[in-house]
Structure formats: C-alpha cells, structure tokens
Amino acid sequence: MQSSDLEIFKDWFSEYTRTFYTDNAEDRRNIDLKVRHTSFVCENIVGIAKEEHLSDNDLMLAETAALFHDLGRFLQYSRYKTFRDSISVNHGRLGAEILGKENILRHLPLHEQQLIMNTVKFHNAFEVPSFEDQQNVLFLQLIRDADKLDIWRIFAEYYESPEEEQTSAVGLGLPDLPDYSKTVLSCLYDKKLATLSGLKTLNDFRLMQLSWVYDLNFRHSFRLMAERAYIQKIAAVLPQTEEIAGALSIIKKFVREKAEVKLHESTEL
Ligand SMILES: [Fe+2]
C-alpha cells in the first residue's frame, strides 16, 4: 500500500465517525471515547511494530488495521447504546462487515485487504484463531496488544475520574460493590485469561483486566504497560485483601520478567 492510502483511510474514518455524534452529551462522550481510543491504538501498534522491525509497508498495514479495528463500535453504540457485545452484536465482525460493504480497502492488493479484514474481525476473539498465514497471526497479536494497552489507559482514567464525568459505557453497567469472584481471582494465580462471562461486579471486571497481562505478546507491550503503571492504577481501586495482594505480586513479577526490566530500574513495578 501507499502512504497516500493511509491518509485516505484516516480521512474516511474521520468523516464516518463524525456522523455518529449527536446532541446528547452522553452519546458524544461514548463516541469520543472510541475515536480517541482508535488514535492511541494506532500509536501503540506503530510503536510495538517498530520494535519488532516490521517493514514500512507492514507498518502502514498495521496502522490501517488499528484505525479500523473498532469500526463496528460506532454502529453498535448508535443501535444499542452499549459496548457490550454479549447483549448487542460482535463489534469485530460488524467492523469487518462495514469495511466490506463500504469497499473502503478496494485499492489495496487482495491479500492486504484480507489481512486487514481478518485483523478487524478477530481482534476481539477470546483467543487468536489459527491461520495458515503467519502474517495474520502476527497482526492479530499486534492489534490485541495495542488495544489492551489503550483499554488499560481508559480504565485507569475512568477509575480516577469523578462519577459524574465517567463515560457511561466503560464500566459495562456492572455494580461497584465491594465483592469479587474467587473464580476470576483464581485466573490471576493460574496465569490464565479471565472471561467476560460470569462477571458480577466492577471488581470482577478490574481483576479480568489484570488477567490480560497473560495474553500480551511482545516485550515492548510489557514495557509500555510497566512504564504507564497500569497495574498500580487498577490495583488502587481494588479491595485491599491478602488474596488480592498475593495475585498482584504474581502479576507484577510476571510483567517484570517479560519486560526484562532490571531490578534497579524498577523495583516498584
Ligand atoms: Fe475492539
């Protein structure tokens, strides 16, 4: 692809997303959240992909995939007023459908179109599906890391902001009670990814977000996570129990090892 293609895609994305802004302040906040999220995910993916020494063409393709990864969010929100796929629509699939229908990628070689479509379609799958094409796997790993890094930012900001300023769809409507589920917590101890199903409280959701460290793929992602102190920010709003403290130390150790941060550089990770 050409760099002019990327510029055209960016313009198209701005025009497209602009049509979803309404007079309602809450709607505007939710749409704005995804527009900002998209630009940070683009930044993240380029940062990670550069560390992985991708070619210039692949860098542009990765940025395009990031630009469109949440394309389905806008229609999802305007139709259902939620970002919960389980009660509305799979936003990855919807995004790929919109890309196809609008034929926005038509000027790219077919294999590049397919690569981007698959990345958008499966970016939110529980696991990376198996592909014969290793580039597809690589792109899914890249988008999933870049996406998670920015979702951590969104949650860290959400938890830090006063209730009246919180963007409604971020917390998935889960109640902010002191309880948490042992099943979700045990995922942190077992170094497993927790699932969305079965979450009952906002604390469960926070614990699930922490479990995402077990699904990060690239050293640079671990480094960005450590630099941005997302674990500490999420930990600050969790109940201060011994079992949670135990889980947090396991996660911190895991991130520290993956980031290969020397102890003297970050003993407080
Ligand atoms: Fe997404």
Side-chain angles (χ1 to χ4, degrees):
M1 70 179 278
Q2 313 287 325
S3 57
S4 57
D5 292 322
L6 185 54
E7 292 313 310
I8 290 167
F9 296 152
K10 284 181 183 170
D11 289 345
W12 182 88
F13 181 81
S14 305
E15 282 300 311
Y16 176 79
T17 53
R18 200 170 298 155
T19 63
F20 290 91
Y21 283 95
T22 71
D23 290 340
N24 180 294
E26 192 183 331
D27 290 351
R28 273 204 308 274
R29 267 211 295 265
N30 281 306
I31 295 299
D32 213 40
L33 175 95
K34 290 297 173 190
V35 170
R36 291 186 67 225
H37 167 63
T38 298
S39 82
F40 282 116
V41 175
C42 287
E43 220 173 274
N44 288 340
I45 208 165
V46 171
I48 303 166
K50 277 188 178 161
E51 288 290 319
E52 292 298 308
H53 307 293
L54 263 67
S55 69
D56 286 347
N57 195 56
D58 278 356
L59 277 178
M60 287 191 290
L61 287 170
E63 192 172 349
T64 305
L67 179 70
F68 291 137
H69 84 285
D70 263 355
L71 192 61
R73 285 300 194 191
F74 302 95
L75 203 52
Q76 176 185 43
Y77 186 80
S78 91
R79 280 186 188 157
Y80 305 98
K81 301 286 176 214
T82 183
F83 293 137
R84 284 181 87 161
D85 285 16
S86 60
I87 55 167
S88 57
V89 65
N90 181 322
H91 74 277
R93 276 176 195 280
L94 182 60
E97 253 172 57
I98 298 166
L99 276 181
K101 227 184 258 168
E102 301 278 339
N103 208 4
I104 184 79
L105 305 171
R106 62 188 174 275
H107 299 303
L108 302 187
L110 199 58
H111 72 277
E112 295 188 349
Q113 292 188 32
Q114 269 159 358
L115 178 66
I116 292 166
M117 296 278 267
N118 281 333
T119 309
V120 172
K121 189 171 176 182
F122 297 111
H123 82 273
N124 58 331
F126 184 66
E127 281 175 317
V128 176
S130 53
F131 280 99
E132 291 221 344
D133 175 13
Q134 280 312 298
Q135 203 188 12
N136 251 313
V137 175
L138 172 69
F139 268 55
L140 277 165
Q141 290 175 330
L142 286 168
I143 190 67
R144 289 162 75 93
D145 278 24
D147 197 15
K148 284 189 183 73
L149 281 163
D150 196 60
I151 298 174
W152 279 318
R153 175 194 62 82
I154 292 172
F155 287 118
E157 286 178 7
Y158 175 79
Y159 299 139
E160 282 167 356
S161 61
E163 211 174 307
E164 62 279 9
E165 286 171 26
Q166 290 179 346
T167 309
S168 60
V170 173
L172 298 186
L174 291 164
D176 197 0
L177 301 169
D179 321 346
Y180 56 89
S181 135
K182 305 277 176 193
T183 324
V184 185
L185 184 70
S186 67
C187 291
L188 302 189
Y189 278 92
D190 299 341
K191 301 193 175 168
K192 278 201 295 217
L193 202 54
T195 55
L196 258 176
S197 63
L199 302 187
K200 291 194 180 66
T201 64
L202 203 51
N203 281 329
D204 290 346
F205 192 39
R206 290 164 178 147
L207 293 172
M208 185 201 73
Q209 285 155 16
L210 288 174
S211 81
W212 289 349
V213 299
Y214 301 129
D215 195 40
L216 282 185
N217 300 290
F218 302 100
R219 189 177 63 175
H220 193 61
S221 310
F222 285 100
R223 289 193 165 169
L224 289 175
M225 203 220 178
E227 264 170 45
R228 297 172 186 177
Y230 293 137
I231 296 177
Q232 291 86 331
K233 287 175 182 170
I234 297 172
V237 287
L238 277 169
Q240 309 291 312
T241 66
E242 225 168 90
E243 53 186 2
I244 287 187
L248 286 169
S249 68
I250 291 172
I251 289 183
K252 287 175 186 173
K253 185 167 177 276
F254 182 80
V255 172
R256 198 161 50 224
E257 284 168 4
K258 293 285 186 178
E260 292 177 6
V261 179
K262 289 189 196 100
L263 275 179
H264 69 269
E265 283 176 338
S266 179
T267 43
E268 282 303 303
L269 188 72

